[in-house]
Amino acid sequence: MGIFLRTRREGVTPAEVGLPTGLRRRTPGLRRAELATLAGISVEYLTRLEQGRDRNPTPGVLGALADALLLAGRDRALLGRLAKEAGDAAALCPAATAPTRTVRPSVRALLDRMEPTPAVVLNWIGDINAYTTGYERLARPLGMLDGTRPNVLRYLFTDGRARTAYPDWERVADEQVAVFRHETRSHDPYTAELTDELTVTSGAPFTDRLTGAPVSPRNSGPQRVEHPEAGRLNLTYEALAFPDEGERLVVLLPADDATASALDRLNGRRPGALRAVGG
């Protein structure tokens, strides 16, 4: 929570909140005193929050800080979640349960009806639980389905083929860690196990993202893939959550006609079966 507050404070310019810019500013963004004044709290209290020495701000203080930092809806929710995880209430969280490894029959039926669209169901630590044959034809040649328990984070950060498969690897890595931080639970042994593994096997590319300023995960966006059989694919992804199971469905759609035709050929279908989605 402290890292989040500090980085957001440094990302807001005085002009954005109606303050004079001034000629000598050593601090990027807002000074602590400026944010404290805008939020109606003391500089000392804001300092304790940013340094992690006070972890129990009231909802009113969080709301005032969110207003002062011009946070949008998703980032306001993220601030609330970070505060809840950091505070005393974290001790009241239920005992950890094992990540789901299967999908319920209705989700399996949904995947069957989505063929040949590439679609995959992931649990909250990134394990691949189920997928369409369209996804298998897309992902298996990339190496994503290798091993007995394939995991998107493990593939992304430890398999050398991932940087070739994703031309925008840095952005994809940022997005996947954002999802991981948002979905996983504090003090959870399954989260800790994967974190420890990737800390050793990947090092800074993973840990720097894990310990950096939290960001809200995206539920949609572009994704470019260099496929060994289909060539360059320009895709658009959409993610839908299944909160009760701790799973999410990720659907990959062609973003242009060339990608739609390439996916059709990859699936052994006549070009035109999959339509490109714009925007």
Side-chain angles (χ1 to χ4, degrees):
M1 181 181 65
I3 294 172
F4 180 86
L5 288 173
R6 186 176 67 252
T7 56
R8 292 309 170 96
R9 172 172 62 81
E10 293 173 351
V12 176
T13 66
E16 288 179 296
V17 294
L19 296 176
T21 302
L23 298 178
R24 296 182 178 180
R25 297 187 66 90
R26 293 183 298 174
T27 302
L30 297 178
R31 299 185 177 102
R32 274 185 181 151
E34 292 169 334
L35 175 58
T37 298
L38 290 170
I41 61 177
S42 70
V43 178
E44 293 76 13
Y45 184 49
L46 177 59
T47 301
R48 294 200 303 272
L49 289 174
E50 289 191 356
Q51 294 178 349
R53 293 186 287 116
D54 190 307
R55 302 184 178 187
N56 293 283
T58 66
V61 168
L62 292 176
L65 286 169
D67 289 341
L69 292 170
L70 307 178
L71 298 185
R74 293 175 64 187
D75 286 338
R76 295 175 77 96
L78 176 57
L79 175 59
R81 185 178 67 82
L82 292 172
K84 182 178 180 180
E85 290 183 353
D88 294 339
L92 302 177
C93 293
T97 57
T100 305
R101 306 291 187 191
T102 60
V103 298
R104 63 178 186 265
S106 58
V107 174
R108 180 68 261 178
L110 176 62
L111 289 174
D112 292 342
R113 284 159 176 76
M114 295 180 69
E115 299 285 7
T117 300
V120 60
V121 177
L122 308 168
N123 67 18
W124 46 266
I125 60 171
D127 290 336
I128 296 176
N129 285 349
Y131 44 83
T132 61
T133 56
Y135 181 84
E136 182 174 12
R137 294 188 179 106
L138 172 68
R140 191 170 293 283
L142 304 177
M144 290 186 65
L145 300 180
D146 291 359
T148 57
R149 189 178 295 170
N151 178 284
V152 292
L153 278 169
R154 185 178 294 114
Y155 169 77
L156 193 62
F157 284 98
T158 67
D159 194 315
R161 293 171 290 184
R163 290 181 180 264
T164 300
Y166 293 109
D168 305 313
W169 185 90
E170 296 287 344
R171 178 176 57 78
V172 174
D174 290 344
E175 292 178 353
Q176 289 299 324
V177 172
V179 171
F180 178 68
R181 295 179 71 172
H182 186 265
E183 296 293 334
T184 53
R185 292 83 162 171
S186 298
H187 314 297
D188 172 72
Y190 305 98
T191 299
E193 180 182 7
L194 182 59
T195 297
D196 290 346
E197 175 191 337
L198 295 181
T199 296
V200 173
T201 57
S202 176
F206 174 73
T207 57
D208 287 352
R209 288 176 168 85
L210 190 67
T211 58
V215 297
S216 298
R218 299 185 60 177
N219 293 321
S220 63
Q223 188 170 103
R224 294 194 300 162
V225 174
E226 288 289 349
H227 199 274
E229 299 174 12
R232 170 66 60 86
L233 301 174
N234 295 313
L235 302 162
T236 295
Y237 71 86
E238 291 284 345
L240 305 172
F242 301 142
D244 291 345
E245 289 78 18
E247 294 177 314
R248 66 188 189 277
L249 169 67
V250 181
V251 182
L252 296 165
L253 301 166
D256 54 41
D257 291 337
T259 298
S261 297
L263 288 178
D264 283 335
R265 290 192 296 271
L266 194 62
N267 286 288
R269 296 168 65 92
R270 176 179 55 80
L274 285 176
R275 295 184 179 181
V277 176

